Amino acid sequence: DQTLLNDLGQVTDYTISVLESLRALGHKIIINTARSEIMTAELMRRIEPDFTLLCAGAAILDREGNYVYRCEIPPECAKAISLELASQNKLFSVQGHPYIYTNNPDFTRFDVRPFDPLNFDYDFGVPKFIVNLGCDADAEYYAKKFSLDVVKYFDGPLYRFCHKDANKAKGNAVLVSMQGGTLDDVIAFGDDHSDLGMLLEAGVGVAMKNAQSDVIAKTKYTTEYTNDEDGVARFLAKNFGLTDNM
């Protein structure tokens, strides 16, 4: 969102053509997103990336849809977190496989299922918790108690809790190591503060023209065009000498 996808949540034919041209030259196409597999399915079908990093680095899928890496909150820890949040009457959601489970009656979406935290059977590792909290101090308390990484969403009182080693930058590092490369081989694009680590560690980190101001300020490169103007594709076309037919 706000990077590869336009404001309608779509990837354009022009972007697809640029990515296919780069793949033909031997480059790998990687999607690195905070979304879950079910929320990324249509994008994966359209782009057919060589790898997809899901839930902000908590899992990696290959081109055939097989999991090749997972870095999730263990079931027993997830259960303890869930019980404590429920005991304090917090509203929260748990990313499962493939659904999101929530005790928030106002959170409705096709991939969301209501659940009772006190009687839920955690038989899977959890990529992330999304918790409605009152302040940063509360978030820091849970992160410290359960040894988790926490990120505040930009537009509200929501916080994302993940395994302390699950983030976009770490996911990129794991993947390029598995492929026998280094982060110097990576061109990464992003728009959000949560992308900053990934952008700074990549060989070429590129902020979108529409990125948050702190991301643009700290990143060496910025696209000339926004996400709604095929900013990623036009940056790549220009720097790889591809014909720009826009």
Side-chain angles (χ1 to χ4, degrees):
D1 299 310
Q2 308 302 313
T3 300
L4 191 66
L5 304 182
N6 62 22
D7 289 346
L8 296 177
Q10 301 169 343
V11 57
T12 67
D13 290 341
Y14 173 69
T15 291
I16 293 294
S17 70
V18 169
L19 296 179
E20 290 178 346
S21 294
L22 291 173
R23 199 197 317 267
L25 293 173
H27 302 290
K28 294 188 182 298
I29 308 303
I30 300 165
I31 302 295
N32 193 333
T33 177
R35 292 187 180 196
S36 65
E37 182 178 1
I38 194 171
M39 291 298 292
T40 314
E42 177 58 26
L43 181 64
M44 292 168 61
R45 183 198 65 77
R46 183 138 165 75
I47 295 179
E48 297 184 336
D50 296 282
F51 294 95
T52 304
L53 284 77
L54 300 170
C55 299
I60 301 175
L61 293 176
D62 65 15
R63 194 170 183 179
E64 288 71 43
N66 302 307
Y67 282 88
V68 296
Y69 173 79
R70 283 182 167 176
C71 185
E72 301 170 328
I73 301 169
E76 61 276 11
C77 181
K79 180 69 172 180
I81 296 167
S82 186
L83 291 175
E84 175 144 351
L85 290 171
S87 72
Q88 297 183 18
N89 298 314
K90 303 296 186 184
L91 294 176
F92 64 98
S93 303
V94 181
Q95 179 64 61
H97 304 286
Y99 301 113
I100 293 176
Y101 302 95
T102 187
N103 66 346
N104 184 350
D106 295 326
F107 183 21
T108 57
R109 204 170 64 189
F110 79 94
D111 61 326
V112 173
R113 301 291 183 272
F115 86 132
D116 176 4
L118 300 179
N119 297 293
F120 188 70
D121 182 18
Y122 283 92
D123 57 357
F124 56 87
V126 171
K128 61 183 178 181
F129 278 81
I130 306 297
V131 187
N132 190 318
L133 295 173
C135 62
D136 291 350
D138 288 345
E140 291 170 4
Y141 163 79
Y142 289 111
K144 182 176 181 180
K145 180 170 183 176
F146 295 104
S147 298
L148 302 173
D149 184 60
V150 60
V151 175
K152 186 179 189 300
Y153 283 90
F154 181 70
D155 55 352
L158 298 179
Y159 294 79
R160 183 181 73 224
F161 293 87
C162 303
H163 189 287
K164 62 182 179 180
D165 289 327
N167 57 66
K168 291 183 177 181
K170 178 72 172 182
N172 275 352
V174 169
L175 178 57
V176 296
S177 178
M178 291 169 61
Q179 293 294 298
T182 71
L183 286 171
D184 288 341
D185 302 320
V186 174
I187 302 174
F189 297 84
D191 70 287
D192 188 81
H193 180 76
S194 63
D195 297 324
L196 196 52
M198 171 185 71
L199 298 179
L200 294 178
E201 292 186 18
V204 177
V206 188
M208 299 301 296
K209 183 179 180 180
N210 54 282
Q212 295 173 14
S213 58
D214 65 325
V215 177
I216 292 176
K218 295 177 181 178
T219 307
K220 184 175 181 180
Y221 301 99
T222 303
T223 62
E224 296 180 50
Y225 301 93
T226 69
N227 66 299
D228 209 37
E229 301 168 316
D230 291 296
V232 169
R234 294 173 80 165
F235 180 96
L236 292 170
K238 178 179 179 179
N239 286 279
F240 281 91
L242 304 177
T243 301
D244 190 340
N245 294 317
M246 291 290 292

